[in-house]
Amino acid sequence: MREDKGRTYNVAIAGYGGQGVLTIGLLIARAGLKEFNHVSWFPTYETWQRGGRVFCGVVLSDNQVVSPIISEPEVLLVLDQPALDLYEDSLIPGGILIFNSSMVGRDLKRDDVQAVPIAATELARKMGAVQVSNLILLGVYLRMKNVLSMDLIENTLEDTLRKEKKDKLIPLNKEALKCGYEQI
């Protein structure tokens, strides 16, 4: 058992099916298992295979996680405008809202949060794969919160892709993480 340092962090991720919401939530949770005593990963999604609303909450803690449900996230990663419309008000005052400005066509309603617009889809398109826009946002989160190290996330990503026999995707995915990390 790791030392109890009293740390607890939460992050919520929202978008639609196929954008990689659950993927980055699971990466955070898997990496968190190596640094924290208790981790919860709680996905919710509509029954559509692609295109339905998806929300994922991750709690990383040295203490027991009482509830995996995050109703007021400290950090919110938003992959599209409908997700922003649904979850913007849930973020705690002073929280961090990291959003894909390529997919959001309006100003934020709130001025009591730290807004971090990232043109993730455009950056991913320049890399030749819009599918990695989620990892760009994850890279931004890693830089801003410094909860988990880039090395730990990269190692977790490599392990995951190797287990799924997707080794050829490792360089592009790592490039997307680093791209997001360097945006801040």
Side-chain angles (χ1 to χ4, degrees), residues 116-172:
V116 185
I118 301 294
T121 302
E122 297 310 313
L123 291 167
R125 186 171 285 122
K126 289 177 184 173
M127 288 182 210
V130 295
Q131 300 89 332
V132 296
S133 60
N134 62 331
L135 292 168
I136 292 171
L137 294 178
L138 176 57
V140 172
Y141 167 74
L142 294 175
R143 181 69 176 257
M144 295 208 58
K145 284 303 285 182
N146 199 27
V147 172
L148 300 166
S149 72
M150 175 64 86
D151 287 341
L152 181 58
I153 290 287
E154 284 182 337
N155 291 338
T156 304
L157 176 65
E158 283 182 33
D159 291 346
T160 301
L161 290 173
R162 283 197 176 103
K163 286 177 186 171
E164 295 174 359
K165 308 273 191 247
K166 297 179 179 177
D167 297 54
K168 66 181 180 182
L169 298 177
I170 292 171
L172 175 64

Side-chain angles (χ1 to χ4, degrees), residues 58-184:
V58 180
V59 179
L60 307 172
S61 185
D62 292 320
N63 308 306
Q64 187 172 15
V65 176
V66 177
S67 173
I69 298 170
I70 302 172
S71 57
E72 295 181 307
E74 299 164 353
V75 180
L76 178 63
L77 277 65
V78 171
L79 282 77
D80 66 358
Q81 185 167 325
L84 180 65
D85 295 341
L86 280 169
Y87 298 107
E88 180 179 359
D89 292 334
S90 70
L91 189 63
I92 63 167
I96 299 172
L97 176 57
I98 301 167
F99 65 98
N100 184 352
S101 59
S102 301
M103 301 289 286
V104 172
R106 69 166 176 84
D107 292 332
L108 299 184
K109 297 185 292 186
R110 298 180 60 179
D111 61 5
D112 65 340
V113 298
Q114 183 178 355
V116 185
I118 301 294
T121 302
E122 297 310 313
L123 291 167
R125 186 171 285 122
K126 289 177 184 173
M127 288 182 210
V130 295
Q131 300 89 332
V132 296
S133 60
N134 62 331
L135 292 168
I136 292 171
L137 294 178
L138 176 57
V140 172
Y141 167 74
L142 294 175
R143 181 69 176 257
M144 295 208 58
K145 284 303 285 182
N146 199 27
V147 172
L148 300 166
S149 72
M150 175 64 86
D151 287 341
L152 181 58
I153 290 287
E154 284 182 337
N155 291 338
T156 304
L157 176 65
E158 283 182 33
D159 291 346
T160 301
L161 290 173
R162 283 197 176 103
K163 286 177 186 171
E164 295 174 359
K165 308 273 191 247
K166 297 179 179 177
D167 297 54
K168 66 181 180 182
L169 298 177
I170 292 171
L172 175 64
N173 282 259
K174 287 173 82 171
E175 180 186 353
L177 276 171
K178 286 179 182 167
C179 175
Y181 194 84
E182 293 168 356
Q183 294 302 305
I184 302 300

Side-chain angles (χ1 to χ4, degrees), residues 20-49:
V21 169
L22 302 182
T23 299
I24 59 174
L26 197 52
L27 275 172
I28 294 168
R30 286 179 176 160
L33 288 169
K34 297 171 186 164
E35 292 287 324
F36 292 87
N37 293 329
H38 303 277
V39 173
S40 73
W41 173 73
F42 192 78
T44 60
Y45 44 87
E46 295 176 344
T47 58
W48 305 6
Q49 190 170 19

